[in-house]
Amino acid sequence: MENMRREIRTYLAFTPLVYRILVLAVLLCMLIVVRACFCRAVGTGGLDQTFTIFMAYCYITYEVVSDYWLFGGICCKDIGQPLLFRTSFYGIYVLREGITTDLVRRFVWILGYSLAGYVIGGDSREFITGLLMYVAVAASLNLERHTQTPQYLLLSAQPGAVLFLVLRVAGLILEQMYGWPVYLAEFIIFAAAAVGISVLTVWHMMYCIGRSMDAVKSKRERS
């Protein structure tokens, strides 16, 4: 419990208040309301799942753009933006905890959205879509955090978003053909992928930060 409180405090210290309000509350409520209105207008079924996939694509793009607010360019070798965090053991700890807790926030957020979609539409495939959403978001963040210029933000979001579209559409087709064995296989595969991409993302961020520290140290020694 103490570790959880410490991680929450670290996350609150690392993220601006406006960011937390927009990402944690406003966006979630807005998507749930839009989803509920759509289901009320057209009902549930295939069209509802198509709309869910479209909203997920938009959400993945939004997450990448909003992440630039916090971690933009942090993986670039020569960036000096977070040097204050990189110059002490506690600073590195804050960065690692901030990155880890932000991934947990994304997973919990997507789980909440999937649960709301299940309550609204009664389709358990919402959770499969949610797991794949998380994997796509985390994969896109590993590209976006190498980007220092805002002009390339939307471009860095596309590989993960397109991967999500291809896999989810293919999954829907296979689900119609083979039924529950495909549901089970998708859930296991995407859950394992979510764990794997989370570990890889934290390792990748810390590796790049350590490499940047070494580069700054070498530059100072040469000068």
Side-chain angles (χ1 to χ4, degrees):
M1 185 64 68
E2 180 60 31
N3 289 337
M4 182 179 297
R5 285 199 295 264
R6 185 171 62 247
E7 290 180 0
I8 292 174
R9 287 197 300 268
T10 302
Y11 181 75
L12 294 178
F14 202 79
T15 54
L17 177 61
V18 176
Y19 173 87
R20 296 197 301 269
I21 293 174
L22 290 177
V23 173
L24 298 180
V26 175
L27 178 65
L28 179 60
C29 294
M30 182 181 68
L31 289 181
I32 292 175
V33 169
V34 171
R35 176 68 184 280
C37 292
F38 184 86
C39 288
R40 185 178 180 85
V42 305
T44 59
L47 187 58
D48 178 46
Q49 283 298 308
T50 302
F51 184 69
T52 301
I53 292 174
F54 172 74
M55 291 189 68
Y57 176 87
C58 295
Y59 168 75
I60 293 168
T61 304
Y62 172 83
E63 276 284 12
V64 171
V65 173
S66 64
D67 184 78
Y68 187 80
W69 192 352
L70 296 180
F71 300 106
I74 198 172
C75 290
C76 296
K77 189 175 181 180
D78 56 347
I79 191 170
Q81 177 184 351
L83 276 179
L84 178 63
F85 288 101
R86 302 178 185 186
T87 52
S88 69
F89 174 81
Y90 185 71
I92 294 297
Y93 166 81
V94 171
L95 276 173
R96 184 176 63 249
E97 292 300 305
I99 291 168
T100 304
T101 309
D102 196 55
L103 285 174
V104 173
R105 188 275 302 169
R106 286 184 166 88
F107 182 81
V108 172
W109 194 102
I110 292 174
L111 179 62
Y113 174 71
S114 300
L115 181 60
Y118 173 72
V119 172
I120 294 171
D123 194 335
S124 59
R125 290 179 295 181
E126 295 286 344
F127 297 104
I128 296 175
T129 301
L131 283 172
L132 186 54
M133 282 172 62
Y134 175 80
V135 172
V137 167
S140 297
L141 296 181
N142 283 277
L143 295 177
E144 173 265 321
R145 291 173 181 174
H146 284 275
T147 303
Q148 296 191 56
T149 53
Q151 294 89 331
Y152 297 110
L153 282 179
L154 292 178
L155 184 62
S156 65
Q158 296 316 300
V162 171
L163 177 65
F164 167 82
L165 286 177
V166 172
L167 291 179
R168 196 65 200 104
V169 170
L172 289 175
I173 294 173
L174 291 175
E175 289 164 12
Q176 293 295 324
M177 294 173 61
Y178 300 106
W180 70 265
V182 177
Y183 297 160
L184 181 60
E186 285 180 312
F187 185 83
I188 294 173
I189 292 172
F190 294 154
V195 174
I197 196 67
S198 299
V199 174
L200 178 62
T201 299
V202 175
W203 175 85
H204 177 226
M205 299 299 108
M206 300 314 297
Y207 170 78
C208 292
I209 290 170
R211 182 187 62 179
S212 180
M213 290 179 64
D214 294 337
V216 171
K217 182 179 179 181
S218 299
K219 184 182 294 185
R220 289 177 176 175
E221 289 176 350
R222 288 196 301 268
S223 61

